Amino acid sequence: MALITLGANSGKGKVLQVVRTYVANQQSAVSTTSTSLVGSGIQASITPTKSGNLILIDFNSTMSNNSSNIGRARMYQKIGSGSFAQMSGAAVYHIGYMSSGWNRYAPHCFGGSYTATSTDTLIYEPYIEAPSGGTYQFVHANASYSLTVTEVEQ
């Protein structure tokens, strides 16, 4: 796993920092058998430089797999010492949905944003579930994933 933090420009609309968690070849599947949402273990954290700045969150998994029933995922966020909570506006199919009958092997992606309300550290993590039982592989073995969080000055 590689974690890269880049500092850059200054001024409104400028990218201030980028944090990226990237795995090019996941050795074993990131999966769950939980019928309720649980953390995937894939995280990226960023500490905003200023309240009011825009935080962009992007996730991509090149291949997921569900060999039995249904799999779903949603992006969760932790602010400072708080608990992880579903991002505001998260729908049932926030990151992705798959079924063993169709869409069995497919990528999952997410693009969202948050306006920082403080300079408390923010942690992002996809939460996953297999609501009707079985095993949902959020990231298939030998696939890749990335979770990128970017701060933009506002």
Side-chain angles (χ1 to χ4, degrees):
M1 173 170 43
L3 178 63
I4 303 168
T5 303
L6 303 171
N9 311 307
S10 65
K12 293 188 181 216
K14 300 287 184 175
V15 172
L16 299 176
Q17 55 179 323
V18 177
V19 176
R20 184 172 191 228
T21 300
Y22 171 68
V23 172
N25 185 8
Q26 178 66 28
Q27 294 302 302
S28 59
V30 176
S31 62
T32 189
T33 57
S34 176
T35 57
S36 59
L37 288 161
V38 294
S40 65
I42 299 169
Q43 293 186 348
S45 66
I46 194 166
T47 302
T49 58
K50 184 176 78 172
S51 178
N53 282 349
L54 182 64
I55 307 299
L56 302 174
I57 307 97
D58 293 291
F59 174 81
N60 182 55
S61 167
T62 59
M63 183 192 292
S64 299
N65 175 31
N66 194 349
S67 59
S68 58
N69 301 312
I70 296 170
R72 293 191 293 230
R74 296 183 190 142
M75 188 60 70
Y76 271 53
Q77 172 186 54
K78 181 178 185 236
I79 302 171
S81 61
S83 299
F84 275 98
Q86 188 170 279
M87 285 189 67
S88 177
V92 172
Y93 311 124
H94 202 217
I95 293 177
Y97 169 88
M98 48 186 359
S99 168
S100 58
W102 53 274
N103 196 34
R104 179 172 172 189
Y105 299 101
H108 279 339
C109 63
F110 170 81
S113 64
Y114 170 75
T115 301
T117 57
S118 70
T119 56
D120 288 341
T121 298
L122 304 169
I123 303 173
Y124 293 91
E125 179 175 3
Y127 269 52
I128 57 180
E129 68 178 337
S132 56
T135 300
Y136 169 45
Q137 294 179 344
F138 182 56
V139 179
H140 195 285
N142 302 312
S144 64
Y145 68 81
S146 64
L147 176 57
T148 306
V149 183
T150 305
E151 179 185 16
V152 178
E153 188 165 36
Q154 296 296 292

